[in-house]
Amino acid sequence: MKVLKFGGSSLADAHQFAKVKSIVDADDSRRVVIVSAPGKRFRDDHKITDLLYLCAAHIKYGVSCADIFAMIRERYEEIIHECSLKLDLSTEFDELWEKMQGGISKDELASRGEYFSAKLMAEFLGYEFLDAALWVKFKFDGSIDQDASYEALRRAADGRKVVIPGFYGVMPDGHIKTFSRGGSDITGALAAAALDADVYENWTDVSGILMADPRIVDSPAPIERVTYNELRELSYIGAQVLHEGTIFPVREKNIPLNIRNTNAPDHPGTMILENIDDELEEGSFITGIAGKKGFSVITVAKTGMSSEPGTILKILEILAKHEVNVEYIPSGIDIVSLVVSSEKVSKRLYEILGELQKEVQPNKISVTEHIAIVAAVGRKMAYRVGVSGKIFAKLGENGVNIRMITQGPEELNIIVGVEEKDFEQAIRVLYNSFVREHVC
Ligand code: ADP
Ligand code: ASP
Ligand code: MG
């Protein structure tokens, strides 16, 4: 049994709906389908979810959103008409509009994008509609009540062919709550885990996870196979193909996750697995390259720090008190750097520096802003000698100034900090040197 999730671009219009139907119809084991809200049809188009959030903002400030609501309604009506569906959503839309006048929650309003999308898709596929509100159960702390959710889905789905709206569930008091943006991926992962699916197919608009961001590198190659650990590294550092909450539920049940392209259904996409037999694999030692901007590096130097237990702890406690989590900690003797998100640290920077000065009494504290992190991720890096050296050399030869270096203990990643202005260049140099030209 396969669980499938289709993202917004796969549901943008009737033409995309038709592609989804032919994918589902091609394989009888594709029995559980999770859908996002319709996404963009063309570059400057709007996602339904964005329009719904826009309505919520208008409501909050007491401005009419009648025009935006009409646009949303039209998008669904057009699909209904073009797919020749019998479904009539007028009563539900009228009721929603009424509710919006009386103060609907932002989450409930945003969730309607997936709700209507699933209603349409259910009729189009000839599957039953199964509301996520019946089984995706949140706890009051915002985490998922896995046991209760899995149990409820097993009972509700029970061998049926169903379409489920992604992105939302219910709080213990019955109120609708959404995941963060892109959260339909999580609904799909939970459904796959609950139903012990053989595979979780995540259908999007790219033929799998690409070795680098396609907006930076021209036509990067898709990754054929990747481990959950590598994907976690890649998505944490910026390769945002999947919501990062997707991995845990499927990994726990050892369910392979297959990223596929709705617009190229014959392409095998990327298979994400627990283990990959490296013996069989040829090719580059780098699985993927990713990165993001927006970091600051706080460097603290103090003579004798290395032999003084507890100094680093003090530094981390001060940051924790100000709710700044530390991403990386490159260190030397008597000197430690803390890589933190600029956005998080900027509001409290002077307070933090003041406290560091007082508590740690360092010889020097400095802050470097506008740092970008670039990571080369790959499970095979551990077995190659001199990988880091080659990476640093290539960046240097191409004029990228490295501001910081750190490497995970398991050598799954090599991370360099560069100035934000060099970010795109650093990614391109790594891709061209180690993937296109196969330097190693
Ligand atoms: P969906 O709407 O199907 O959930 P998303 O927009 O959330 O799709 O994710 C797919 C997008 O992620 C791609 O269109 C691509 O622009 C972007 N992306 C960023 N980095 C990568 C990468 N390394 N590999 C593949 N896609 C990437
Ligand atoms: N529609 C929601 C969003 O745009 C959820 C999703 O697409 O996964 O974030
Ligand atoms: Mg997505």
Side-chain angles (χ1 to χ4, degrees):
M1 198 275 292
K2 294 176 180 160
V3 169
L4 285 71
K5 176 258 171 178
F6 290 90
S9 57
S10 308
L11 302 149
D13 56 21
H15 190 60
Q16 293 300 90
F17 263 57
K19 291 183 190 170
V20 170
K21 183 164 166 57
S22 64
I23 290 166
V24 175
D25 287 351
D27 181 343
D28 194 47
S29 59
R30 292 180 170 144
R31 307 175 69 85
V32 174
V33 176
I34 284 84
V35 290
S36 288
K40 293 185 182 189
R41 294 160 292 182
F42 43 87
R43 222 179 64 130
D44 295 325
D45 196 18
H46 303 291
K47 295 181 178 183
I48 291 284
T49 310
D50 290 333
L51 295 176
L52 288 164
Y53 279 125
L54 201 55
C55 283
H58 278 67
I59 294 170
K60 184 173 166 197
Y61 293 105
V63 181
S64 166
C65 61
D67 291 351
I68 307 166
F69 191 71
M71 271 168 79
I72 296 170
R73 202 168 166 157
E74 251 167 54
R75 291 275 306 264
Y76 289 104
E77 273 160 6
E78 197 175 292
I79 299 173
I80 290 177
H81 175 71
E82 288 180 15
C83 291
S84 308
L85 303 179
K86 293 198 188 67
L87 191 71
D88 181 0
L89 289 179
S90 13
T91 317
E92 286 210 66
F93 266 112
D94 289 345
E95 281 169 5
L96 176 59
W97 179 250
E98 281 302 307
K99 209 166 178 186
M100 285 161 68
Q101 310 315 304
I104 191 171
S105 78
K106 187 166 116 185
D107 278 24
E108 182 173 350
L109 183 51
S111 76
R112 297 304 87 184
E114 308 359 65
Y115 173 85
F116 289 125
S117 182
K119 287 238 150 162
L120 267 59
M121 188 55 81
E123 187 193 331
F124 193 49
L125 295 179
Y127 280 26
E128 289 174 69
F129 169 80
L130 173 59
D131 198 346
L134 295 176
W135 68 274
V136 178
K137 296 176 190 287
F138 286 96
K139 296 184 196 162
F140 274 122
D141 67 5
S143 64
I144 285 289
D145 186 341
Q146 244 187 32
D147 292 344
S149 302
Y150 288 5
E151 176 58 30
L153 180 62
R154 277 195 283 265
R155 256 185 289 116
D158 193 27
R160 295 153 63 202
K161 290 182 162 182
V162 291
V163 178
I164 301 170
F167 192 39
Y168 70 92
V170 280
M171 291 297 274
D173 61 4
H175 284 112
I176 299 252
K177 176 177 165 58
T178 61
F179 292 106
S180 54
R181 296 300 304 264
S184 300
D185 290 332
I186 307 178
T187 314
L190 293 171
L195 300 172
D196 284 312
D198 296 305
V199 59
Y200 170 29
E201 293 180 349
N202 190 294
W203 291 81
T204 180
D205 62 350
V206 277
S207 293
I209 300 169
L210 305 172
M211 291 190 70
D213 190 329
R215 290 161 297 189
I216 301 175
V217 169
D218 196 19
S219 314
I223 303 174
E224 209 179 308
R225 296 185 302 166
V226 63
T227 63
Y228 293 119
N229 276 338
E230 288 172 294
L231 181 66
R232 166 98 181 111
E233 294 279 342
L234 281 170
S235 51
Y236 187 76
I237 198 110
Q240 259 139 26
V241 197
L242 279 179
H243 191 293
E244 60 175 17
T246 315
I247 298 169
F248 180 71
V250 280
R251 180 177 197 171
E252 208 182 29
K253 292 277 187 97
N254 207 5
I255 297 169
L257 203 170
N258 188 196
I259 315 262
R260 301 284 292 266
N261 189 349
T262 303
N263 306 317
D266 294 332
H267 194 290
T270 299
M271 194 57 106
I272 302 152
L273 305 157
E274 182 65 46
N275 287 307
I276 292 172
D277 191 351
D278 286 318
E279 298 290 304
L280 304 173
E281 293 227 318
E282 278 298 307
S284 169
F285 61 92
I286 290 181
T287 304
I289 297 156
K292 56 186 175 194
K293 295 182 180 176
F295 292 95
S296 297
V297 183
I298 303 176
T299 302
V300 182
K302 185 181 184 189
T303 314
M305 188 196 284
S306 303
S307 49
E308 199 181 278
T311 309
I312 293 185
L313 181 63
K314 261 191 227 160
I315 299 175
L316 294 177
E317 272 173 355
I318 292 170
L319 286 157
K321 197 178 99 191
H322 291 281
E323 289 175 8
V324 175
N325 60 312
V326 178
E327 305 279 344
Y328 306 102
I329 315 183
S331 64
I333 304 167
D334 296 344
I335 187 158
V336 62
S337 288
L338 306 134
V339 182
V340 294
S341 143
S342 304
E343 195 196 333
K344 283 201 186 128
V345 84
S346 61
K347 290 171 226 139
R348 323 287 290 263
L349 186 61
Y350 292 118
E351 275 169 83
I352 292 171
L353 294 180
E355 285 176 38
L356 286 173
Q357 193 76 56
K358 189 166 152 237
E359 301 287 330
V360 182
Q361 302 197 336
N363 304 99
K364 193 177 154 217
I365 299 185
S366 64
V367 181
T368 313
E369 291 175 302
H370 306 296
I371 293 293
I373 296 291
V374 174
V377 174
R379 62 193 174 276
K380 287 182 283 179
M381 292 198 297
Y383 311 108
R384 306 263 180 154
V385 179
V387 170
S388 322
K390 284 179 187 141
I391 288 180
F392 306 148
K394 274 288 164 197
L395 289 172
E397 277 167 33
N398 286 277
V400 176
N401 185 14
I402 301 174
R403 302 297 300 260
M404 180 209 93
I405 295 165
T406 163
Q407 184 161 12
E410 291 181 55
E411 294 203 42
L412 197 61
N413 60 31
I414 293 169
I415 293 161
V416 292
V418 300
E419 286 166 29
E420 281 183 350
K421 68 173 175 50
D422 291 335
F423 174 68
E424 285 83 5
Q425 167 75 346
I427 297 221
R428 279 192 286 265
V429 167
L430 293 184
Y431 189 83
N432 291 336
S433 312
F434 297 101
V435 182
R436 265 201 238 286
E437 292 162 23
H438 254 300
V439 166
C440 289

